[in-house]
Amino acid sequence: MVILDKILSEKTEGIYKEIEEKLTSPVIISRMNTEDQKEMMQPCYFDGKKKEYVIKLDTDLADNLFENALIRNMIYCLQMEEGSPILEANPNDHNAVNVAAMINSVILDINLEQRLKAYEVILDEIDNMRMGDLFMFLRGDMSEVNRDIYNKMASLQVVLLYFTAEKRENVEQIMETFELSDPDLYGYIQKSIEIIEKYGCDTVRGQMRCMRKIALAMDLKDKAKVFYEGKATLL
């Protein structure tokens, strides 16, 4: 099977076709314009007018990374198909928008990684990238600009690593450091982990409850809505 002039491995082709059969709308795959920030930030979406899923892929990626990106985006399509919830904040509250988007991303990415592991699709590069993103954020100036948002955003990045990294002990070492140096940040980590372990991210209902509970724990009451089963509910 060939996609965008890339010959897929037999394993990737099998996973692709398995997911495709579960979708009720066609998938349109095209080359990503890496100079277009919108395509970079949203490489996968559902076009409601055309009733089709759209995936943009960077064809300059190495074959293994290209195939991983393809499967990840197919799983995102499947999440949309299944009705995964969306947490969306008041667009006039910039800080709430960032925190809500991060919560949304963390919960759906945990679900995505669970599916990838079930397919035995694991890339060390993803763990390295997420760890690198975390340390880059920690080295930035957000802790001085807005300590509360820094604590919330950093804690969510750690939570994602806690549930997805192959070597959890590395994440636990980071958590131990925060327990001593930043009790507020550590508190957000602990609360979020508790919620996810209680409700899980493997079902749509579990995802909704995780998003809602974590958002409330991060002070988004009356600042965000959860879109679930065709309804928008204010926290």
Side-chain angles (χ1 to χ4, degrees):
M1 183 176 184
V2 179
I3 291 181
L4 302 181
D5 298 327
K6 295 269 192 178
I7 301 174
L8 301 184
S9 66
E10 186 176 335
K11 180 176 182 178
T12 297
E13 179 179 348
I15 297 171
Y16 175 87
K17 289 182 176 179
E18 179 182 323
I19 298 173
E20 186 180 39
E21 288 176 359
K22 297 176 181 178
L23 303 176
T24 57
S25 298
V27 180
I28 306 301
I29 301 174
S30 60
R31 285 179 172 79
M32 176 186 288
N33 177 2
T34 54
E35 295 182 0
D36 186 328
Q37 191 67 17
K38 185 177 179 181
E39 288 193 12
M40 293 285 288
M41 296 299 294
Q42 190 181 23
C44 176
Y45 62 92
F46 182 72
D47 188 327
K49 291 183 178 179
K50 296 182 178 179
K51 303 295 182 185
E52 62 189 23
Y53 294 103
V54 177
I55 293 176
K56 304 284 187 176
L57 293 174
D58 181 359
T59 53
D60 289 333
L61 291 172
D63 289 350
N64 64 328
L65 295 176
F66 177 87
E67 292 192 6
N68 190 271
L70 171 64
I71 298 305
R72 284 175 178 274
N73 282 296
M74 288 296 289
I75 293 174
Y76 284 135
C77 291
L78 186 57
Q79 288 176 335
M80 287 185 270
E81 181 81 25
E82 293 169 344
S84 285
I86 299 172
L87 182 67
E88 195 170 283
N90 181 338
N92 296 320
D93 188 331
H94 180 68
N95 289 332
V97 167
N98 286 335
V99 175
M102 190 65 182
I103 294 171
N104 197 87
S105 177
V106 166
I107 298 305
L108 295 185
D109 277 354
I110 290 173
N111 172 268
L112 180 145
E113 295 294 343
Q114 290 171 340
R115 296 178 193 237
L116 286 176
K117 286 182 180 179
Y119 285 128
E120 298 182 348
V121 175
I122 299 171
L123 269 184
D124 290 337
E125 288 93 333
I126 301 300
D127 283 357
N128 295 337
M129 179 191 72
R130 286 177 175 151
M131 194 69 77
D133 287 345
L134 171 63
F135 285 120
M136 186 179 297
F137 180 79
L138 296 177
R139 287 194 297 266
D141 62 357
M142 181 56 73
S143 63
E144 297 176 4
V145 174
N146 190 323
R147 188 72 187 190
D148 182 57
I149 296 302
Y150 166 85
N151 286 342
K152 291 170 181 174
M153 298 296 281
S155 69
L156 288 166
Q157 291 181 68
V158 174
V159 169
L160 177 59
L161 281 163
Y162 179 85
F163 284 102
T164 62
E166 281 296 297
K167 296 180 179 178
R168 180 175 284 185
E169 60 270 21
N170 293 343
V171 185
E172 290 173 339
Q173 288 175 8
I174 295 171
M175 290 169 60
E176 289 173 7
T177 301
F178 285 135
E179 185 177 12
L180 298 172
S181 66
D182 198 328
D184 290 338
L185 194 161
Y186 181 75
Y188 284 129
I189 294 172
Q190 285 294 91
K191 184 62 178 178
S192 298
I193 288 174
E194 269 178 37
I195 290 168
I196 294 169
E197 288 183 336
K198 181 175 181 178
Y199 298 108
C201 299
D202 53 329
T203 67
V204 172
R205 178 169 173 76
Q207 294 162 18
M208 179 274 293
R209 298 180 81 177
C210 286
M211 286 183 189
R212 183 176 183 278
K213 296 287 186 179
I214 293 174
L216 289 171
M218 294 194 172
D219 310 311
L220 291 187
K221 183 174 173 59
D222 297 325
K223 297 178 182 179
K225 295 178 180 179
V226 177
F227 293 83
Y228 173 67
E229 291 188 337
K231 299 177 183 177
T233 305
L234 182 67
L235 296 179

PDB file of all heavy atoms in Angstrom, residues 23-27 42-55 76-77 80-81:
ATOM      1  N   LEU A  23     -14.459   3.667  10.481  1.00  0.00           N
ATOM      2  CA  LEU A  23     -14.890   5.040  10.211  1.00  0.00           C
ATOM      3  C   LEU A  23     -16.055   5.049   9.231  1.00  0.00           C
ATOM      4  O   LEU A  23     -16.068   4.296   8.267  1.00  0.00           O
ATOM      5  CB  LEU A  23     -13.728   5.856   9.643  1.00  0.00           C
ATOM      6  CG  LEU A  23     -12.458   5.932  10.511  1.00  0.00           C
ATOM      7  CD1 LEU A  23     -11.355   6.687   9.776  1.00  0.00           C
ATOM      8  CD2 LEU A  23     -12.755   6.586  11.852  1.00  0.00           C
ATOM      9  N   THR A  24     -17.013   5.928   9.491  1.00  0.00           N
ATOM     10  CA  THR A  24     -18.194   6.009   8.623  1.00  0.00           C
ATOM     11  C   THR A  24     -18.046   7.077   7.540  1.00  0.00           C
ATOM     12  O   THR A  24     -18.923   7.225   6.696  1.00  0.00           O
ATOM     13  CB  THR A  24     -19.451   6.301   9.456  1.00  0.00           C
ATOM     14  OG1 THR A  24     -19.260   7.509  10.207  1.00  0.00           O
ATOM     15  CG2 THR A  24     -19.745   5.159  10.417  1.00  0.00           C
ATOM     16  N   SER A  25     -16.941   7.833   7.590  1.00  0.00           N
ATOM     17  CA  SER A  25     -16.656   8.842   6.562  1.00  0.00           C
ATOM     18  C   SER A  25     -15.287   8.571   5.966  1.00  0.00           C
ATOM     19  O   SER A  25     -14.417   7.998   6.633  1.00  0.00           O
ATOM     20  CB  SER A  25     -16.692  10.255   7.159  1.00  0.00           C
ATOM     21  OG  SER A  25     -17.978  10.564   7.662  1.00  0.00           O
ATOM     22  N   PRO A  26     -15.084   8.955   4.720  1.00  0.00           N
ATOM     23  CA  PRO A  26     -13.788   8.712   4.074  1.00  0.00           C
ATOM     24  C   PRO A  26     -12.669   9.541   4.688  1.00  0.00           C
ATOM     25  O   PRO A  26     -12.912  10.578   5.317  1.00  0.00           O
ATOM     26  CB  PRO A  26     -14.037   9.122   2.619  1.00  0.00           C
ATOM     27  CG  PRO A  26     -15.159  10.101   2.695  1.00  0.00           C
ATOM     28  CD  PRO A  26     -16.033   9.636   3.813  1.00  0.00           C
ATOM     29  N   VAL A  27     -11.438   9.064   4.493  1.00  0.00           N
ATOM     30  CA  VAL A  27     -10.254   9.780   4.975  1.00  0.00           C
ATOM     31  C   VAL A  27      -9.491  10.323   3.778  1.00  0.00           C
ATOM     32  O   VAL A  27      -9.135   9.571   2.865  1.00  0.00           O
ATOM     33  CB  VAL A  27      -9.326   8.854   5.784  1.00  0.00           C
ATOM     34  CG1 VAL A  27      -8.095   9.621   6.266  1.00  0.00           C
ATOM     35  CG2 VAL A  27     -10.065   8.256   6.976  1.00  0.00           C
ATOM     36  N   GLN A  42      -2.838  21.634  13.509  1.00  0.00           N
ATOM     37  CA  GLN A  42      -4.044  20.804  13.377  1.00  0.00           C
ATOM     38  C   GLN A  42      -3.938  19.927  12.131  1.00  0.00           C
ATOM     39  O   GLN A  42      -4.581  20.184  11.115  1.00  0.00           O
ATOM     40  CB  GLN A  42      -5.300  21.688  13.308  1.00  0.00           C
ATOM     41  CG  GLN A  42      -6.596  20.893  13.412  1.00  0.00           C
ATOM     42  CD  GLN A  42      -7.826  21.781  13.308  1.00  0.00           C
ATOM     43  OE1 GLN A  42      -7.779  22.887  12.766  1.00  0.00           O
ATOM     44  NE2 GLN A  42      -8.939  21.308  13.822  1.00  0.00           N
ATOM     45  N   PRO A  43      -3.137  18.863  12.217  1.00  0.00           N
ATOM     46  CA  PRO A  43      -2.926  18.005  11.044  1.00  0.00           C
ATOM     47  C   PRO A  43      -4.075  17.039  10.781  1.00  0.00           C
ATOM     48  O   PRO A  43      -4.059  16.333   9.778  1.00  0.00           O
ATOM     49  CB  PRO A  43      -1.660  17.236  11.409  1.00  0.00           C
ATOM     50  CG  PRO A  43      -1.716  17.144  12.898  1.00  0.00           C
ATOM     51  CD  PRO A  43      -2.321  18.441  13.368  1.00  0.00           C
ATOM     52  N   CYS A  44      -5.057  17.018  11.667  1.00  0.00           N
ATOM     53  CA  CYS A  44      -6.170  16.073  11.516  1.00  0.00           C
ATOM     54  C   CYS A  44      -7.466  16.728  11.985  1.00  0.00           C
ATOM     55  O   CYS A  44      -7.502  17.301  13.078  1.00  0.00           O
ATOM     56  CB  CYS A  44      -5.875  14.815  12.328  1.00  0.00           C
ATOM     57  SG  CYS A  44      -7.213  13.609  12.326  1.00  0.00           S
ATOM     58  N   TYR A  45      -8.503  16.664  11.163  1.00  0.00           N
ATOM     59  CA  TYR A  45      -9.796  17.237  11.555  1.00  0.00           C
ATOM     60  C   TYR A  45     -10.911  16.627  10.711  1.00  0.00           C
ATOM     61  O   TYR A  45     -10.654  15.939   9.715  1.00  0.00           O
ATOM     62  CB  TYR A  45      -9.790  18.760  11.407  1.00  0.00           C
ATOM     63  CG  TYR A  45      -9.569  19.267   9.996  1.00  0.00           C
ATOM     64  CD1 TYR A  45     -10.634  19.526   9.140  1.00  0.00           C
ATOM     65  CD2 TYR A  45      -8.271  19.491   9.514  1.00  0.00           C
ATOM     66  CE1 TYR A  45     -10.432  19.979   7.848  1.00  0.00           C
ATOM     67  CE2 TYR A  45      -8.054  19.941   8.224  1.00  0.00           C
ATOM     68  CZ  TYR A  45      -9.138  20.191   7.390  1.00  0.00           C
ATOM     69  OH  TYR A  45      -8.936  20.640   6.103  1.00  0.00           O
ATOM     70  N   PHE A  46     -12.139  16.886  11.130  1.00  0.00           N
ATOM     71  CA  PHE A  46     -13.302  16.423  10.365  1.00  0.00           C
ATOM     72  C   PHE A  46     -13.914  17.603   9.640  1.00  0.00           C
ATOM     73  O   PHE A  46     -14.237  18.620  10.257  1.00  0.00           O
ATOM     74  CB  PHE A  46     -14.337  15.779  11.283  1.00  0.00           C
ATOM     75  CG  PHE A  46     -15.539  15.243  10.551  1.00  0.00           C
ATOM     76  CD1 PHE A  46     -15.434  14.101   9.775  1.00  0.00           C
ATOM     77  CD2 PHE A  46     -16.762  15.902  10.619  1.00  0.00           C
ATOM     78  CE1 PHE A  46     -16.531  13.601   9.080  1.00  0.00           C
ATOM     79  CE2 PHE A  46     -17.865  15.408   9.936  1.00  0.00           C
ATOM     80  CZ  PHE A  46     -17.749  14.253   9.163  1.00  0.00           C
ATOM     81  N   ASP A  47     -14.046  17.493   8.327  1.00  0.00           N
ATOM     82  CA  ASP A  47     -14.666  18.532   7.506  1.00  0.00           C
ATOM     83  C   ASP A  47     -16.169  18.264   7.479  1.00  0.00           C
ATOM     84  O   ASP A  47     -16.633  17.360   6.782  1.00  0.00           O
ATOM     85  CB  ASP A  47     -14.084  18.509   6.087  1.00  0.00           C
ATOM     86  CG  ASP A  47     -14.551  19.689   5.241  1.00  0.00           C
ATOM     87  OD1 ASP A  47     -15.701  20.139   5.430  1.00  0.00           O
ATOM     88  OD2 ASP A  47     -13.780  20.147   4.390  1.00  0.00           O
ATOM     89  N   GLY A  48     -16.914  19.043   8.270  1.00  0.00           N
ATOM     90  CA  GLY A  48     -18.352  18.821   8.393  1.00  0.00           C
ATOM     91  C   GLY A  48     -19.113  19.043   7.101  1.00  0.00           C
ATOM     92  O   GLY A  48     -20.127  18.384   6.860  1.00  0.00           O
ATOM     93  N   LYS A  49     -18.644  19.952   6.265  1.00  0.00           N
ATOM     94  CA  LYS A  49     -19.343  20.235   5.005  1.00  0.00           C
ATOM     95  C   LYS A  49     -19.176  19.093   4.008  1.00  0.00           C
ATOM     96  O   LYS A  49     -20.131  18.680   3.347  1.00  0.00           O
ATOM     97  CB  LYS A  49     -18.815  21.540   4.405  1.00  0.00           C
ATOM     98  CG  LYS A  49     -19.188  22.787   5.199  1.00  0.00           C
ATOM     99  CD  LYS A  49     -18.688  24.054   4.518  1.00  0.00           C
ATOM    100  CE  LYS A  49     -19.100  25.294   5.294  1.00  0.00           C
ATOM    101  NZ  LYS A  49     -18.591  26.542   4.655  1.00  0.00           N
ATOM    102  N   LYS A  50     -17.956  18.598   3.915  1.00  0.00           N
ATOM    103  CA  LYS A  50     -17.685  17.522   2.956  1.00  0.00           C
ATOM    104  C   LYS A  50     -17.905  16.137   3.558  1.00  0.00           C
ATOM    105  O   LYS A  50     -17.855  15.136   2.843  1.00  0.00           O
ATOM    106  CB  LYS A  50     -16.248  17.629   2.441  1.00  0.00           C
ATOM    107  CG  LYS A  50     -15.980  18.894   1.640  1.00  0.00           C
ATOM    108  CD  LYS A  50     -14.548  18.914   1.122  1.00  0.00           C
ATOM    109  CE  LYS A  50     -14.263  20.151   0.281  1.00  0.00           C
ATOM    110  NZ  LYS A  50     -12.860  20.178  -0.205  1.00  0.00           N
ATOM    111  N   LYS A  51     -18.129  16.098   4.884  1.00  0.00           N
ATOM    112  CA  LYS A  51     -18.327  14.813   5.583  1.00  0.00           C
ATOM    113  C   LYS A  51     -17.146  13.874   5.345  1.00  0.00           C
ATOM    114  O   LYS A  51     -17.303  12.734   4.932  1.00  0.00           O
ATOM    115  CB  LYS A  51     -19.633  14.152   5.125  1.00  0.00           C
ATOM    116  CG  LYS A  51     -20.881  15.009   5.317  1.00  0.00           C
ATOM    117  CD  LYS A  51     -21.164  15.272   6.778  1.00  0.00           C
ATOM    118  CE  LYS A  51     -22.438  16.093   6.962  1.00  0.00           C
ATOM    119  NZ  LYS A  51     -22.666  16.466   8.383  1.00  0.00           N
ATOM    120  N   GLU A  52     -15.956  14.395   5.636  1.00  0.00           N
ATOM    121  CA  GLU A  52     -14.763  13.571   5.457  1.00  0.00           C
ATOM    122  C   GLU A  52     -13.700  13.955   6.490  1.00  0.00           C
ATOM    123  O   GLU A  52     -13.663  15.098   6.976  1.00  0.00           O
ATOM    124  CB  GLU A  52     -14.197  13.731   4.042  1.00  0.00           C
ATOM    125  CG  GLU A  52     -13.752  15.147   3.704  1.00  0.00           C
ATOM    126  CD  GLU A  52     -13.392  15.334   2.247  1.00  0.00           C
ATOM    127  OE1 GLU A  52     -13.872  14.547   1.403  1.00  0.00           O
ATOM    128  OE2 GLU A  52     -12.633  16.285   1.938  1.00  0.00           O
ATOM    129  N   TYR A  53     -12.873  12.974   6.840  1.00  0.00           N
ATOM    130  CA  TYR A  53     -11.736  13.235   7.716  1.00  0.00           C
ATOM    131  C   TYR A  53     -10.573  13.702   6.855  1.00  0.00           C
ATOM    132  O   TYR A  53     -10.345  13.174   5.763  1.00  0.00           O
ATOM    133  CB  TYR A  53     -11.343  11.972   8.483  1.00  0.00           C
ATOM    134  CG  TYR A  53     -12.399  11.519   9.470  1.00  0.00           C
ATOM    135  CD1 TYR A  53     -13.235  10.442   9.180  1.00  0.00           C
ATOM    136  CD2 TYR A  53     -12.557  12.174  10.691  1.00  0.00           C
ATOM    137  CE1 TYR A  53     -14.206  10.033  10.085  1.00  0.00           C
ATOM    138  CE2 TYR A  53     -13.528  11.764  11.598  1.00  0.00           C
ATOM    139  CZ  TYR A  53     -14.351  10.696  11.288  1.00  0.00           C
ATOM    140  OH  TYR A  53     -15.312  10.296  12.181  1.00  0.00           O
ATOM    141  N   VAL A  54      -9.848  14.684   7.360  1.00  0.00           N
ATOM    142  CA  VAL A  54      -8.710  15.230   6.623  1.00  0.00           C
ATOM    143  C   VAL A  54      -7.443  15.031   7.457  1.00  0.00           C
ATOM    144  O   VAL A  54      -7.407  15.375   8.640  1.00  0.00           O
ATOM    145  CB  VAL A  54      -8.907  16.730   6.330  1.00  0.00           C
ATOM    146  CG1 VAL A  54      -7.673  17.296   5.616  1.00  0.00           C
ATOM    147  CG2 VAL A  54     -10.167  16.946   5.492  1.00  0.00           C
ATOM    148  N   ILE A  55      -6.428  14.455   6.827  1.00  0.00           N
ATOM    149  CA  ILE A  55      -5.138  14.244   7.489  1.00  0.00           C
ATOM    150  C   ILE A  55      -4.041  14.872   6.626  1.00  0.00           C
ATOM    151  O   ILE A  55      -3.981  14.635   5.424  1.00  0.00           O
ATOM    152  CB  ILE A  55      -4.835  12.749   7.695  1.00  0.00           C
ATOM    153  CG1 ILE A  55      -5.817  12.134   8.705  1.00  0.00           C
ATOM    154  CG2 ILE A  55      -3.400  12.541   8.166  1.00  0.00           C
ATOM    155  CD1 ILE A  55      -5.636  10.644   8.893  1.00  0.00           C
ATOM    156  N   TYR A  76      -6.793   9.537  15.927  1.00  0.00           N
ATOM    157  CA  TYR A  76      -7.529  10.775  16.214  1.00  0.00           C
ATOM    158  C   TYR A  76      -8.864  10.786  15.471  1.00  0.00           C
ATOM    159  O   TYR A  76      -9.891  11.211  16.014  1.00  0.00           O
ATOM    160  CB  TYR A  76      -6.702  12.002  15.813  1.00  0.00           C
ATOM    161  CG  TYR A  76      -5.566  12.341  16.762  1.00  0.00           C
ATOM    162  CD1 TYR A  76      -4.303  12.653  16.268  1.00  0.00           C
ATOM    163  CD2 TYR A  76      -5.752  12.344  18.139  1.00  0.00           C
ATOM    164  CE1 TYR A  76      -3.251  12.963  17.121  1.00  0.00           C
ATOM    165  CE2 TYR A  76      -4.709  12.650  19.002  1.00  0.00           C
ATOM    166  CZ  TYR A  76      -3.458  12.960  18.494  1.00  0.00           C
ATOM    167  OH  TYR A  76      -2.418  13.262  19.336  1.00  0.00           O
ATOM    168  N   CYS A  77      -8.854  10.329  14.229  1.00  0.00           N
ATOM    169  CA  CYS A  77     -10.110  10.232  13.466  1.00  0.00           C
ATOM    170  C   CYS A  77     -11.084   9.297  14.172  1.00  0.00           C
ATOM    171  O   CYS A  77     -12.288   9.591  14.276  1.00  0.00           O
ATOM    172  CB  CYS A  77      -9.836   9.710  12.051  1.00  0.00           C
ATOM    173  SG  CYS A  77      -8.938  10.837  10.965  1.00  0.00           S
ATOM    174  N   MET A  80     -12.699  10.924  17.125  1.00  0.00           N
ATOM    175  CA  MET A  80     -13.789  11.801  16.689  1.00  0.00           C
ATOM    176  C   MET A  80     -15.016  10.978  16.330  1.00  0.00           C
ATOM    177  O   MET A  80     -16.152  11.344  16.668  1.00  0.00           O
ATOM    178  CB  MET A  80     -13.333  12.661  15.507  1.00  0.00           C
ATOM    179  CG  MET A  80     -12.376  13.768  15.877  1.00  0.00           C
ATOM    180  SD  MET A  80     -11.971  14.847  14.477  1.00  0.00           S
ATOM    181  CE  MET A  80     -10.529  14.019  13.793  1.00  0.00           C
ATOM    182  N   GLU A  81     -14.799   9.879  15.627  1.00  0.00           N
ATOM    183  CA  GLU A  81     -15.888   8.988  15.228  1.00  0.00           C
ATOM    184  C   GLU A  81     -16.643   8.473  16.459  1.00  0.00           C
ATOM    185  O   GLU A  81     -17.871   8.376  16.461  1.00  0.00           O
ATOM    186  CB  GLU A  81     -15.320   7.809  14.443  1.00  0.00           C
ATOM    187  CG  GLU A  81     -16.335   6.814  13.942  1.00  0.00           C
ATOM    188  CD  GLU A  81     -17.040   7.250  12.661  1.00  0.00           C
ATOM    189  OE1 GLU A  81     -16.464   8.052  11.901  1.00  0.00           O
ATOM    190  OE2 GLU A  81     -18.167   6.782  12.427  1.00  0.00           O
TER     191      GLU A  81
END
